[in-house]
């Protein structure tokens, strides 16, 4: 199992460093891999990167679980940075903004994945690549964020190149660009993300099939279906 958190739409740097290590090469080669992602709510591009890296190491992803902050993104826009900058998870403002991070209830409910592994692993062929978590609601794809993630990822590439071209860390111009980038990121999240979500909602009747294909692609291999949970079989 590869557990990782998302930083700037990518697997976090410590996880990326691990995946470049000799140890990772030995661990992943010809192995089935379950990915477990923890994040605020934007994980699609990070998982795409993880898929590439794991495939490059010779592993094959058979299941993907995503645990995200289920609070409304307007709240997590405050609570996530507040938690990261102060270490205080909240709740904030007397409970008006719920605690940051994956909720205790979601963590407890993840025991269903352990039960699925315990039930299936003993009799499973090592060459079997079918998911063990189908029907367990392992991921939820927020379709309103698909285009935002793609747009933000492109902008990160441009900003990254621009900031690196300004010189080494500590360089005055580079520091200035980093500050500008922070302002840019804030503005993108409060303008472009809701705007793209609204456009997507308006165009939904015309793009229904395409969105369904996108959701299926990003949700694979475990998928979004909750049928086993709903039937009480999880
Ligand atoms: C530098 C940084 C960048 C982050 N970028 C994202 C992001 O792009 N998408 C997202 O959903 N969460 C993002 N987060 C939130 C983290 O994914 C989340 O806080 C993480 O699950 C916490 O895991 P940890 O307790 O193991 O650090 C970011 C956090 C940090 C520190």
């Amino acid at each position: 199992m590869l557990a990782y958190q998302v930083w700037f739409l990518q697997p976090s740097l410590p996880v990326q460093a691990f995946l470049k290590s000799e140890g990772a090469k030995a661990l992943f080669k010809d192995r089935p891999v379950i990915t477990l992602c923890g994040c605020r709510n934007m994980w699609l591009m990070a998982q795409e990167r993880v898929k590439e890296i794991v495939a490059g190491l010779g592993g094959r992803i058979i299941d993907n679980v995503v645990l995200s902050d289920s609070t409304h993104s307007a709240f997590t826009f405050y609570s996530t940075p507040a938690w990261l900058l102060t270490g205080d998870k909240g709740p904030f403002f007397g409970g008006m903004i719920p605690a940051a991070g994956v909720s205790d209830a979601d963590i407890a409910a993840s025991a269903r994945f352990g039960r699925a592994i315990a039930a299936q692993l003993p009799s499973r062929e090592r060459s079997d690549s079918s998911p063990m978590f189908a029907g367990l609601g392992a991921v939820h794809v927020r379709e309103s964020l698909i285009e935002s993630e793609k747009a933000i990822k492109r902008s990160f590439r441009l900003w990254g190149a621009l900031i690196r071209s300004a010189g080494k860390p500590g360089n005055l111009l580079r520091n200035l660009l980093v500050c500008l980038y922070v302002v840019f990121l804030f503005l993108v999240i409060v303008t472009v993300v809701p705007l793209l979500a609204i456009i997507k909602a308006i165009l939904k009747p015309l793009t229904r099939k395409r969105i369904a294909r996108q959701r299926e692609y990003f949700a694979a291999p475990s998928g979004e279906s909750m049928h086993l949970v709903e039937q009480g079989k999880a």
Side-chain angles (χ1 to χ4, degrees):
M1 175 168 289
L2 170 68
Y4 71 94
Q5 60 279 80
V6 181
W7 286 0
F8 300 122
L9 308 188
Q10 292 287 323
S12 68
L13 289 180
V15 170
Q16 290 204 41
F18 160 69
L19 290 170
K20 285 184 182 158
S21 69
E22 288 303 314
K25 274 186 201 157
L27 268 175
F28 286 89
K29 181 112 185 77
D30 298 327
R31 289 265 170 84
V33 178
I34 297 173
T35 60
L36 168 63
C37 168
C39 64
R40 175 178 167 247
N41 60 11
M42 288 185 152
W43 55 272
L44 304 174
M45 299 300 116
Q47 183 69 10
E48 287 304 287
R49 183 78 189 113
V50 167
K51 283 183 199 170
E52 274 172 26
I53 299 175
V54 170
L57 291 170
R60 49 184 210 288
I61 298 178
I62 58 163
D63 273 298
N64 55 329
V65 177
V66 176
L67 297 180
S68 58
D69 191 328
S70 48
T71 312
H72 192 280
S73 47
F75 292 145
T76 59
F77 184 56
Y78 177 86
S79 60
T80 307
W83 172 33
L84 298 172
L85 293 172
T86 66
D88 177 10
K89 283 185 95 164
F92 302 94
F93 306 114
M96 258 169 55
I97 296 187
V102 177
S103 70
D104 290 344
D106 285 348
I107 292 172
S110 299
R112 67 190 185 279
F113 303 115
R115 286 193 291 273
I117 292 174
Q120 297 177 53
L121 205 57
S123 57
R124 212 177 137 93
E125 295 291 332
R126 189 157 160 181
S127 57
D128 190 347
S129 291
S130 62
M132 291 188 280
F133 301 161
L136 295 181
V139 302
H140 170 59
V141 177
R142 292 196 195 197
E143 60 191 41
S144 62
L145 293 178
I146 297 174
E147 302 310 323
S148 296
E149 282 212 36
K150 288 181 180 170
I152 295 173
K153 188 180 166 188
R154 275 194 292 272
S155 80
F156 282 174
R157 284 226 176 96
L158 291 175
W159 275 98
L162 187 67
I163 289 171
R164 279 194 301 275
S165 73
K168 295 215 175 312
N171 175 297
L172 186 65
L173 179 60
R174 184 169 166 143
N175 286 348
L176 198 67
L177 283 170
V178 171
C179 293
L180 266 178
Y181 162 71
V182 172
V183 175
F184 164 85
L185 194 59
F186 174 79
L187 290 177
V188 164
I189 292 174
V190 297
T191 57
V192 176
V193 173
L195 198 67
L196 285 176
I198 292 168
I199 293 172
K200 191 137 190 155
I202 293 170
L203 294 178
K204 198 167 177 174
L206 304 172
T207 55
R208 211 177 286 277
K209 279 190 182 154
R210 184 167 170 263
I211 293 174
R213 276 199 307 274
Q214 283 180 324
R215 284 185 78 141
E216 198 180 344
Y217 169 79
F218 286 116
S222 298
E224 292 189 86
S225 166
M226 294 277 286
H227 70 271
L228 291 179
V229 179
E230 285 158 3
Q231 291 164 12
K233 293 182 183 163

